[in-house]
Amino acid sequence: MKSILFFIAALLFTTTSKAQQFVNKAVIEYEVNTNLKKTMSNDSWDEMMKDNLSDLKISYFTYTFADNKSIFKFDRWSPKTRIPKYQKEADEENTWYFDFTTRKMNMQKQIAGTNFVIADSVPNIQWKITNEHREIAGYNCRKAVGKIMDDVYVFAFYTDDITISGGPCSINGLPGMILGLSIPRLYTSFMATKIDVTNSNASEIKPIPAKKAYDFAGLKSLIEEKTNDWFKYGDDKEENKRQKNIFLWNAFL
C-alpha cells in the first residue's frame, strides 16, 4: 500500500513539475490578419481599389526573446494576400525591440514611405484582467482588456507560463506573454501559431541602429505637422477623422 501511495505521489510531483516549467526564451510565430478594406474610406478611389484587393491582409511575424529582451519583426506573407507592393513595404520594414529590464524600447516604423526610429521608455498600458480563458498554441491563456493611445481598446490573451511581459508590436505589461491579440478599431488580430522553445536566436535581439531617433512625443508632433492638410476630403468629417486616427494609431502601435 505504501509503495502504491509513493508511486502516485511521485507521479503527481513529476506531472506538476512539468506543468510548472516556465519558458524564458523562445521564438513565437504569429499570424497577423487585417481587414484592409474596412480600414479604407468610401471615396471613389478607394472603392475602385477594393476590387483588386484580397479581403484580408495576412502576414506572419516572429517574436524572439531571451534574457528579458525581445524583437518582433516581419517574416513572410501568406499566399492568400493580394495587395499592392507599396502596401506591403511598411509591414516588411517595421521592427520592435524591447528591453524589459531597463524598461527601454526602440522601434522602426515606416510612415508615409519613410523609416523612423523611435527610442523611448516602454509604454505603460492600463489593463483589466478577466476570468475568461482559452487555449492558444498549446498554452492556457487568460483574457485581459487594455487601453492604448487614450481611447483604443485592445483584447489580449496571455499565458504566465511564458515569463516575459511582452506581446505583438508595442503591446506589453501583462504578467506573462500575450499569445492572442485583437484591436477592433484597426480591424487587426494577432494569433500565435507555434512556439519554438529550442531556438531563441538571441543574436537577433538588438536595438535598431539609427542616425536619428525620436521619442514618441517628438515624432507625434512632427507627423501631425507634416500631415496637417491630410484627411480633408469632401464633406464627411467623421470619415476624415476616422482615417486620420487609423493612420496615427498604426504609426505608433
Side-chain angles (χ1 to χ4, degrees), residues 3 19 44 47 55-56 60 64 68 73 76 109 128 132 147-148 150 176 194 231 246:
S3 60
S44 57
E47 287 296 331
D55 289 336
L56 293 176
Y60 293 88
T64 304
N68 216 27
K73 61 183 183 179
R76 69 189 188 279
K109 297 299 296 288
K128 181 179 180 181
E132 185 177 340
K147 187 166 68 170
I148 61 174
D150 297 329
K194 61 182 179 182
F231 311 109
I246 288 175

Side-chain angles (χ1 to χ4, degrees), residues 1-179:
M1 185 67 179
K2 288 183 178 180
S3 60
I4 294 174
L5 291 174
F6 178 80
F7 175 77
I8 293 172
L11 181 63
L12 288 173
F13 176 79
T14 302
T15 304
T16 304
S17 297
K18 287 182 179 179
Q20 293 180 343
Q21 287 181 352
F22 297 113
V23 177
N24 57 20
K25 60 180 180 179
V27 177
I28 305 173
E29 179 185 87
Y30 289 87
E31 182 179 276
V32 185
N33 285 268
T34 299
N35 192 323
L36 197 59
K37 292 181 180 180
K38 288 189 176 181
T39 68
M40 300 169 71
S41 72
N42 54 8
D43 64 25
S44 57
W45 173 254
D46 277 5
E47 287 296 331
M48 183 175 64
M49 284 187 62
K50 289 176 184 178
D51 293 335
N52 298 314
L53 301 177
S54 54
D55 289 336
L56 293 176
K57 181 178 73 171
I58 306 172
S59 58
Y60 293 88
F61 278 68
T62 56
Y63 185 97
T64 304
F65 69 97
D67 301 321
N68 216 27
K69 300 175 184 177
S70 67
I71 194 159
F72 183 70
K73 61 183 183 179
F74 174 83
D75 182 58
R76 69 189 188 279
W77 290 103
S78 165
K80 298 178 181 178
T81 297
R82 190 180 73 254
I83 60 175
K85 185 177 186 299
Y86 75 89
Q87 291 185 329
K88 292 182 175 181
E89 288 175 346
D91 285 11
E92 294 170 359
E93 295 287 337
N94 294 343
T95 305
W96 294 257
Y97 166 84
F98 277 70
D99 184 332
F100 291 101
T101 301
T102 63
R103 301 294 297 170
K104 297 294 182 183
M105 57 82 70
N106 79 340
M107 63 183 189
Q108 176 175 282
K109 297 299 296 288
Q110 188 180 106
I111 304 171
T114 300
N115 285 341
F116 294 91
V117 171
I118 300 170
D120 211 323
S121 299
V122 172
N124 292 316
I125 299 174
Q126 303 172 20
W127 289 106
K128 181 179 180 181
I129 297 174
T130 76
N131 290 321
E132 185 177 340
H133 292 258
R134 66 175 294 185
E135 184 176 302
I136 300 175
Y139 287 83
N140 179 41
C141 297
R142 188 170 184 176
K143 184 179 179 180
V145 181
K147 187 166 68 170
I148 61 174
M149 302 177 215
D150 297 329
D151 60 355
V152 179
Y153 283 92
V154 298
F155 302 87
F157 282 89
Y158 74 94
T159 176
D160 55 12
D161 288 334
I162 300 177
T163 57
I164 196 165
S165 182
C169 301
S170 60
I171 308 301
N172 75 97
L174 285 166
M177 183 67 200
I178 297 169
L179 298 183

Side-chain angles (χ1 to χ4, degrees), residues 190-207:
F190 304 77
M191 190 65 64
T193 55
K194 61 182 179 182
I195 301 171
D196 186 354
V197 299
T198 66
N199 182 12
S200 69
N201 292 336
S203 61
E204 295 183 3
I205 308 172
K206 53 188 177 184

